């Protein structure tokens, strides 16, 4: 489902071949973040799609997810909670380790970042294989938060990451 005219955003996503390694087509969203119309359009689209009053906390996934999640949280009047790579958060944490194409990754969230029953929206820039998003869903569930949905700037549909999100509602502003 398209929730915003892709023509407003697509011209601001830059393809970088073989970054960060050979064979990867990296979707660089920094031009979109740097364009005042595209950036605000993307943030507004996520906020209006889920609707004000529906979210208590917005979890942003390190690092580009932070950039989007913070203004989305502000517009919801919700709190912002970072999901970070292992060892970056100073307080007591919960952790989930998941497989990457090469090796594994651990994501953490502060144990007091979400109270039981709080309604949580998860935000990141790119849904690729879905491993990172699925791990973040797991972190929210560990804290007994209610995942109301996930929002992404763009989705690499051919990687079928949405299959890792179970029944959770998600939206991508652009699909490749
Ligand atoms: P995944 O766990 O495979 O869904 O990967 C998601 C995370 O990796 C996101 O936080 C993205 O920022 C990043 N990522 C993965 N693949 C790409 C890509 N082709 N272009 C840009 N970012 C990517």
């Amino acid at each position: 489902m398209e929730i915003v005219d892709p023509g407003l955003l697509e011209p601001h996503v830059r393809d970088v071949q073989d970054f960060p390694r050979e064979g990867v087509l990296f979707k660089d969203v920094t031009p979109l973040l740097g364009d005042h119309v595209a950036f605000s359009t993307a943030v507004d689209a996520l906020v209006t799609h889920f609707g004000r009053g529906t979210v208590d906390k917005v979890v942003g996934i390190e690092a580009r997810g932070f950039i989007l999640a913070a203004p989305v949280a502000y517009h919801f009047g919700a709190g912002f909670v970072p999901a970070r790579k292992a060892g970056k958060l100073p307080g007591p944490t919960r952790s989930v380790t998941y497989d990457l194409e090469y090796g594994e990754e651990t994501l953490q969230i502060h144990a007091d970042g979400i109270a039981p029953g709080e309604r949580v929206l998860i935000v990141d820039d790119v849904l690729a294989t879905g491993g990172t998003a699925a791990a973040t869903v797991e972190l929210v569930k560990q804290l007994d938060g209610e995942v109301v949905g996930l929002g992404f700037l763009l989705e690499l549909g051919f990687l079928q990451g949405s299959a890792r999100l179970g029944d959770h509602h998600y939206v991508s502003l652009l699909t490749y």
Side-chain angles (χ1 to χ4, degrees), residues 27-55:
K27 294 290 187 185
D28 177 18
V29 300
T30 59
L32 189 154
L33 300 173
D35 183 276
H36 64 293
V37 175
F39 184 36
S40 60
T41 298
V43 170
D44 290 350
L46 291 173
V47 173
T48 53
H49 176 74
F50 287 95
R52 287 187 177 81
T54 64
V55 170

Side-chain angles (χ1 to χ4, degrees), residues 24-27 61-62 64 98 100 124-133 156:
V24 175
L25 179 62
F26 190 83
K27 294 290 187 185
I61 304 176
E62 184 170 359
R64 289 177 297 274
Y98 60 101
L100 295 175
D124 202 2
D125 64 335
V126 174
L127 176 64
T129 66
T132 306
L156 303 176

Side-chain angles (χ1 to χ4, degrees), residues 45-91:
L46 291 173
V47 173
T48 53
H49 176 74
F50 287 95
R52 287 187 177 81
T54 64
V55 170
D56 301 307
K57 293 279 168 64
V58 180
V59 172
I61 304 176
E62 184 170 359
R64 289 177 297 274
F66 295 170
I67 301 164
L68 283 166
V72 167
Y74 175 83
H75 282 286
F76 273 127
F80 167 78
V81 179
R84 300 207 63 178
K85 310 246 168 78
K88 303 274 192 178
L89 290 170

